[in-house]
């Protein structure tokens, strides 16, 4: 009977997000006002490629902000991508050093930083 089963939200856990959807991160999650797929599709191709291989979940808005700032300063595409990689490295380090961060976060952070260096 339908009344015996928990509703969809109850099965997924608090907040409606399934565990693991965003990877192991202790950084705060925020609700977005825009359609994430439409926002992603509107990004420049090099930025979309960078995002597809990013080590952490990024919002299109935060990547677009970093990209536009770099472009406004007259930086090349390569310099803008390097700026994004540095921002990602800082976020990974903050995540790994957060109080109570589990050891499984620290190990992937170290390997990701070595791979992107």
């Amino acid at each position: 009977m339908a009344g015996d089963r928990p509703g969809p939200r109850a099965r997924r856990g608090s907040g409606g997000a399934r565990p693991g959807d965003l990877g192991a991160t202790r950084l705060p999650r925020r609700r977005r006002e825009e359609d994430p797929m439409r926002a992603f599709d509107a990004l420049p191709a090099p930025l979309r490629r960078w995002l597809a291989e990013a080590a952490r979940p990024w919002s299109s808005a935060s990547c677009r902000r970093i990209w536009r700032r770099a472009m406004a300063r007259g930086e090349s595409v390569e310099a803008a991508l390097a700026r994004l990689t540095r921002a990602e490295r800082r976020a990974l380090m903050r995540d790994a050093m957060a109080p109570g961060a589990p050891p499984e976060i620290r190990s992937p952070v170290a390997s990701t930083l070595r791979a992107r260096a």
Side-chain angles (χ1 to χ4, degrees), residues 7-93:
R9 199 170 277 270
R11 276 186 263 136
R12 287 194 236 159
S14 65
R18 286 176 278 170
D21 277 357
L22 297 176
T25 183
R26 305 207 30 102
L27 298 177
R29 296 178 184 158
R30 298 179 184 100
R31 204 175 268 290
R32 303 292 172 207
E33 304 252 341
E34 62 187 352
D35 174 18
M37 292 305 287
R38 184 168 284 154
F40 179 84
D41 290 343
L43 296 173
L47 182 51
R48 287 195 314 265
R49 281 192 296 274
W50 184 89
L51 262 173
E53 299 199 12
R56 64 177 304 273
W58 283 90
S59 72
S60 296
S62 60
C63 286
R64 185 175 51 240
R65 187 172 41 252
I66 294 169
W67 181 268
R68 285 183 177 164
R69 187 176 299 138
M71 294 294 111
R73 292 178 177 165
E75 295 180 13
S76 68
V77 170
E78 292 78 20
L81 296 174
R83 181 182 291 272
L84 283 158
T85 299
R86 287 191 305 272
E88 180 178 52
R89 180 176 290 178
R90 286 190 303 269
L92 288 169
M93 291 304 295

